[in-house]
């Protein structure tokens, strides 16, 4: 029995002639063209091309889908793109497309829909399916339970490996997550007759084990399983840490010893991407869009960016105050102004290099606040090396601008001091923030540059005053 | 037959009393303490704590390892940390520890060792193992083949599913990658009697299929498999794209239709982390360290950072030229200098927000150069919104500094113009670079800030002149 729907697999010759663009496929208006396009286009391209369609084109696409190509297509779309497609077609068609996805993926698509569209689509689904979906949608967004697939394979504690194999054969779609062993309580309690989880048989063990062996001898026991399971309301970062420890990358969701569902490898990968999006956005001094870039309106982009810009603007405002305080020096030696962007820019660059490295190391190398002293010691020495290098370049640049000895000296000393100062600030800030419970990714390049700008100016003009300009 | 080494699994009670710190474990000097520590410490913590040890402590750790705890420990260490451990112990011990890892992971550890240490360790390995490792090490770093596991399960085309199951039972360590179906050529060629790949049976299919069925009826055929396989010298990004399309996340390495090895899910995850490190470093305006942060010396940090700082410094130098060109305006109205950091800082911040978003979207959402017009149109409208918002804030700030009407007007107009200008530059640059084959991640925050700084100053002083200061 083949596991993967094998439609007309394009051979190399046909791939070369395959339409590369979805627009051409829609112009052809034949189901075969869609199948060919799906077979010859990488996954992220499929999503990008569908996301670029307007509502009329989306309905045209839905019209030429066969059950097979619809399933392949839905499988490759990101939740937001699938949501756009469902939004464009009549509710019964949308329900049919949604029904092609497993519950966990379907629930993520429904979460992208407007409330009234979601209600219509859910109402068009068969009762059992819509009840399962509503259950999943009730969990708060970003909770572990909102990512789980509620269906999983299970056998009871008296079963043999052959029974677990039979369970996997009945429902192969769940086989990748393995077979769970549970026990129904002998005395049903008043409020619960839910099954307590006893252990887990990974897919590999099903293949390798003797079919006559009792499952309890093959399973990974509950105590060990706890090392990589999460509670229903655990946050996403917690799920990722559990997945790293899970031998198959699959994360069970447990509540009071009862298995509620399983986060699949695909689910873990989706969480990883979402967390990556959030970190990248914070590091770029903006908020995550929560949807693909091409589907975000200018208004939404404005809302993601303007608050951060405003905060940075307010923080940067004191550079004006600093400069006004040194108005006398500035009007006396206008040449000092020539080096303002260069000096504060270099300080910001050094700070950015360090915070980027530290934030990455905190995420993937287990760097923690307890390492603060080592980090500061390492960055001070590096800061001295970099400060001296930059001072030499600064002196050369000041000389080419013909600004005279005192300004050259001021620029060189200031660069060395600013680079060292930026190194220390950047070394300390991410670790301290993590310690007090703030995501260190907020120390973005714009943030560290802003912090260094004003203090760098103070260093610059203080040195200028000391050099007696 | 249990699949996972189950040593003394710590229960919750014991976890609470478990030593949290490896230093305490080493002080105890008992194998049981190591086992307990391994059982109660998350994977990334294990690595970070071992990486923090000095050579003497590493040998102490090696002394108290049991075969079981050694295997668990090696499994959890990053290649560089494992390399430190091997470097600290005698070659035969190092070879013993290395032998606990599958070939692909072992080769990554060996790649971190100095050449003479690597030679000693390889010489201490059994011949068969060292020959396999040497073969892997011969592939260039970052090539797909350097990441593959050369061992895989295979049956020939006449086999039945039961034969594939038997193959998996003989070598369960390779079962996660599935069973491959190949054909030996009937007439052995002069230079090659290697087997041509015909198809692949995923682990799940082994469980689900009828054991008496011929493998050719169950397997995923070669043509489809090609969609997510790579050639031996393919680069790492190519492997990641293939893994996204692979149903089990496993990537076969094919050369002339012959299967050389398989990149496992763990291997794909390692590549993903390495590529993530590279992107993060570039985005932070620095080079990747190629090793964990805490293991990098100040000298190495200097080498990763100084060239980028120097490039940025050279690029930023023309701000001095611009400012000198407007020396008359500056000495006439010193107040203009007060707003230099605020104006160019805001321009850089807007540019950073946009490039970060675009680079992320190019990586994970399939945004391409063909979308340039849509991106520019979207960012122009957003730029107008943001420019107006910032102009209002800028006017308010200039008013509080008491600089007079003309300067207030200049600041407000300049902010609007600089924000729009930065938006356009940042929208165009990453897509153009990708088109001409340069990794767009080089448009880091420091880079875009540098580009915007000088041009922003020109806009500012040109407007100042027009307002007739």
């Amino acid at each position: 029995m083949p596991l993967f729907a094998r439609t007309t697999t394009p051979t190399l010759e046909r791939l070369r002639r395959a339409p590369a663009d979805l627009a051409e496929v829609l112009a052809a208006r034949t189901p075969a063209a869609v199948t060919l396009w799906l077979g010859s286009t990488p996954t992220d391209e499929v999503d990008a091309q569908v996301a670029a369609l307007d509502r009329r084109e989306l309905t045209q696409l839905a019209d030429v889908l066969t059950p097979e190509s619809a399933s392949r297509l839905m499988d490759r779309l990101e939740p937001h793109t699938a949501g756009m497609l469902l939004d464009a077609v009549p509710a019964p068609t949308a329900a049919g497309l949604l029904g092609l996805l497993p519950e966990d993926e379907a629930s993520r698509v429904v979460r992208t829909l407007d409330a009234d569209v979601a209600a219509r689509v859910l109402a068009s689904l068969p009762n059992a399916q819509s009840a399962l979906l509503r259950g999943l949608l009730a969990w708060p967004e970003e909770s572990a339970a909102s990512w789980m697939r509620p269906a999983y394979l299970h056998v009871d504690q008296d079963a043999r490996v052959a029974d677990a194999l039979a369970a996997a054969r009945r429902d192969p779609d769940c086989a990748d997550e393995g077979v769970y062993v549970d026990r129904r309580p002998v005395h049903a309690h008043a409020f619960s007759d839910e099954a307590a989880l006893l252990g887990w048989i990974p897919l590999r063990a099903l293949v390798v084990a003797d079919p006559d062996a009792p499952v309890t001898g093959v399973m990974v026991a509950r105590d060990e399983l706890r090392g990589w399971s999460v509670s229903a309301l655990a946050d996403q970062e917690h799920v990722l840490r559990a997945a790293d420890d899970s031998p198959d990358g699959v994360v069970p969701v447990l509540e009071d010893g009862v298995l509620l569902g399983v986060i699949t490898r695909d689910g873990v990968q989706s969480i990883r991407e979402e967390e990556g999006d959030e970190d990248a956005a914070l590091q770029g001094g903006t908020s995550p869009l929560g949807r693909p870039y091409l589907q975000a309106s200018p208004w939404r982009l404005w809302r993601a960016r303007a608050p951060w810009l405003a905060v940075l603007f307010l923080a940067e405002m004191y550079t004006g105050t600093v400069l006004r305080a040194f108005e006398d020096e500035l009007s006396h030696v206008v040449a000092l102004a020539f080096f303002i962007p260069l000096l504060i820019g270099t300080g910001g660059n050094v700070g950015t290099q360090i915070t980027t490295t530290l934030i990455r190391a905190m995420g993937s190398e287990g760097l923690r606040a307890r390492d603060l002293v080592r980090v500061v010691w390492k960055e001070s020495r590096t800061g001295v090396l970099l400060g001296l290098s930059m001072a030499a370049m600064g002196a050369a640049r000041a000389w080419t601008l013909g600004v005279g000895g005192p300004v050259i000296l001021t620029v060189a000393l200031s660069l060395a001091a600013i680079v060292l100062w930026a190194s220390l600030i950047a070394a300390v800030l991410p670790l301290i923030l993590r310690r007090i419970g703030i995501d260190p990714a907020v120390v973005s390049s714009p943030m560290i540059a802003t912090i260094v700008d004003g203090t760098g100016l103070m260093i610059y003009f203080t040195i200028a005053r000391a050099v007696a300009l």
Side-chain angles (χ1 to χ4, degrees), chain A residues 316 319 339-349 418 449 452-454 456-457:
Chain A
E316 184 85 25
T319 56
F339 301 94
I340 290 176
L342 192 57
L343 264 62
I344 63 180
T346 302
N349 293 345
I418 288 173
V452 169
D453 280 359
L457 288 172

Side-chain angles (χ1 to χ4, degrees), chain A residues 311-313 315-316 318-319 445-455:
Chain A
V311 166
L312 292 166
F313 190 92
E316 184 85 25
Y318 80 113
T319 56
S445 171
M447 188 66 81
I448 194 82
T450 302
I451 293 168
V452 169
D453 280 359
T455 46

Side-chain angles (χ1 to χ4, degrees), chain A residues 67-398:
Chain A
E68 227 167 28
S69 64
S71 172
R72 284 184 81 156
L73 178 68
M74 289 300 287
D75 219 35
R76 295 179 179 208
L77 296 184
E78 295 294 316
H80 270 94
T81 318
M84 282 174 58
L85 178 60
L86 299 200
D87 192 48
V89 299
T93 313
L97 289 171
L98 195 65
L100 297 168
L101 291 176
E103 292 85 25
D104 52 343
E105 288 169 31
S107 79
R108 291 198 277 281
V109 174
V110 175
R111 276 181 201 269
T112 71
L113 297 174
D114 289 336
D116 54 327
V117 180
R120 274 202 304 278
V121 174
L122 285 177
S124 304
L125 275 175
N127 279 343
Q129 253 182 321
S130 86
L132 256 178
L133 269 183
R134 281 178 218 274
L136 268 183
L137 292 165
W139 291 102
E141 218 161 338
E142 307 222 338
S143 67
S146 76
W147 290 93
M148 74 187 177
R149 186 171 291 187
Y152 56 85
L153 304 176
H154 61 111
V155 293
D156 71 37
Q157 68 200 99
D158 305 322
R160 307 203 158 258
V161 170
D163 302 317
L165 277 168
R169 281 183 190 137
R170 275 195 302 274
D171 196 354
D173 286 341
C174 291
D176 277 338
E177 286 78 57
V179 178
Y180 293 81
V181 180
D182 52 24
R183 171 185 53 201
R184 300 216 155 254
V186 182
H187 306 288
H189 293 292
F191 297 107
S192 157
D193 62 347
E194 288 171 307
L197 183 69
L198 293 180
W200 168 65
I201 313 172
L203 184 57
R204 179 165 65 157
L206 285 184
V207 168
V208 173
D210 172 9
D212 287 332
V215 289
T216 44
V218 175
M219 70 185 186
V220 175
R222 179 174 49 181
D223 280 345
E224 200 172 334
L225 198 58
R226 278 212 179 107
W228 61 81
S229 57
V230 295
S231 63
L233 294 175
D235 63 25
Q236 300 189 165
E237 288 184 24
H238 201 98
V239 175
L240 292 184
R241 279 198 301 276
D244 282 343
D245 287 345
S246 165
D248 274 12
V250 163
V251 178
V253 180
L254 283 176
E255 202 63 49
D256 294 332
V258 174
L259 185 63
L260 299 185
V262 180
I263 306 178
T264 67
R265 280 198 294 269
D266 281 349
V268 168
Q269 187 54 28
S270 302
I271 297 177
R272 212 180 286 282
E273 272 164 31
E274 205 178 292
E275 289 285 315
D277 280 344
E278 279 181 31
D279 277 359
L282 282 179
Q283 282 276 281
T286 174
S287 298
L289 294 172
R291 63 183 57 200
Y293 170 75
L294 283 178
Q295 293 166 44
S297 65
W299 189 244
R300 177 172 279 271
L301 291 173
W302 183 87
R303 272 187 298 169
R305 294 173 186 167
W308 287 98
L309 274 187
V311 166
L312 292 166
F313 190 92
L314 291 171
E316 184 85 25
M317 272 181 7
Y318 80 113
T319 56
T321 317
V322 171
L323 285 168
R324 196 177 54 174
F326 291 100
E327 190 169 359
D328 287 348
E329 282 78 5
L330 262 176
S331 55
H332 186 56
V333 188
V334 172
L336 283 177
F338 300 170
F339 301 94
I340 290 176
L342 192 57
L343 264 62
I344 63 180
T346 302
N349 293 345
V350 170
T352 299
Q353 291 184 324
I354 296 172
T355 51
T356 310
T357 308
L358 292 184
I359 289 166
R360 182 84 193 160
M362 289 164 82
S364 65
E365 295 167 18
L367 189 73
R368 293 284 178 276
R370 57 146 198 269
D371 301 310
L372 184 63
V373 175
R374 293 175 69 195
V375 170
V376 169
W377 173 229
K378 194 191 287 278
E379 291 301 345
S380 328
R381 287 177 295 163
T382 313
V384 169
L385 288 173
L386 287 173
L388 293 176
S389 322
M390 289 299 113
M393 291 188 76
R397 171 55 177 159

